[in-house]
Amino acid sequence: MKQFLVINGPNLNMLGIREPEIYGGQNYETLIEQIRTWAQALDCQVECFQSNHEGAIVDKIQSAYGRFDGIVINPAAYTHTSVAILDALKAVGIPAVEVHISDVRTREEFRQISYAGLACEAHYIGLGFAGYQKALEYLAAL
Ligand code: DQA
């Protein structure tokens, strides 16, 4: 059975509360339940991890080396700042897919750069929670 790691970055634990007009009204727990359901339907195992700390995300990516077949990552604000997360994804060499709930392409200028995205082979942006489903489907099909 394929093993996937789903990583969510800072403030995604505040889903449902934070800017619902941008990120929707559903909370983080609901997202995780949906991810588990989608993974089960694809016959895959999934581990979900959320952190507000860049170093913790780097540690988690490093610990995935040799243990996971794919990484789904929404680095949240660290998308636009973190060379460390980009380097960690490159270091482990695990197929990675970038997800953003909102359409960052149509938002502020500072959201137009994605460092982590440079190490990802697919990108699902602005699809809401469904982006995570697409990402799992992509990895399952590899
Ligand atoms: C986000 C987009 C980022 O720009 C933002 O900082 C987030 C969430 C998204 O899923 O739409 O926290 O990654």
Side-chain angles (χ1 to χ4, degrees):
M1 209 183 242
K2 285 191 174 175
Q3 315 264 352
F4 299 139
L5 175 62
V6 178
I7 298 175
N8 279 294
N11 300 306
L12 290 169
N13 56 316
M14 295 287 284
L15 284 171
I17 296 169
R18 73 179 291 212
E19 301 177 276
E21 66 287 0
I22 296 176
Y23 300 110
Q26 291 184 296
N27 64 19
Y28 177 73
E29 288 68 31
T30 303
L31 171 63
I32 298 309
E33 275 168 32
Q34 292 189 358
I35 287 171
R36 293 197 191 291
T37 305
W38 293 324
Q40 212 171 4
L42 291 165
D43 237 349
C44 300
Q45 288 212 321
V46 76
E47 180 180 324
C48 298
F49 175 79
Q50 189 277 330
S51 179
N52 296 322
H53 304 278
E54 183 177 16
I57 294 170
V58 170
D59 286 345
K60 192 70 188 176
I61 294 168
Q62 288 186 6
S63 76
Y65 180 71
R67 292 181 49 226
F68 287 93
D69 304 298
I71 295 176
V72 175
I73 185 160
N74 181 348
Y78 290 139
T79 306
H80 318 299
T81 61
S82 180
V83 176
I85 291 174
L86 165 64
D87 284 349
L89 290 169
K90 283 185 167 175
V92 296
I94 299 169
V97 179
E98 177 184 20
V99 172
H100 296 288
I101 295 167
S102 68
D103 190 350
V104 284
R105 295 165 301 198
T106 62
R107 297 182 62 193
E108 301 93 328
E109 189 67 33
F110 63 82
R111 294 185 207 273
Q112 301 311 311
I113 176 78
S114 169
Y115 290 103
L118 297 172
C120 293
E121 40 183 273
H123 314 262
Y124 296 102
I125 297 171
L127 302 176
F129 286 6
Y132 293 85
Q133 182 179 22
K134 298 261 182 219
L136 290 170
E137 285 171 358
Y138 176 92
L139 290 171
L142 286 181

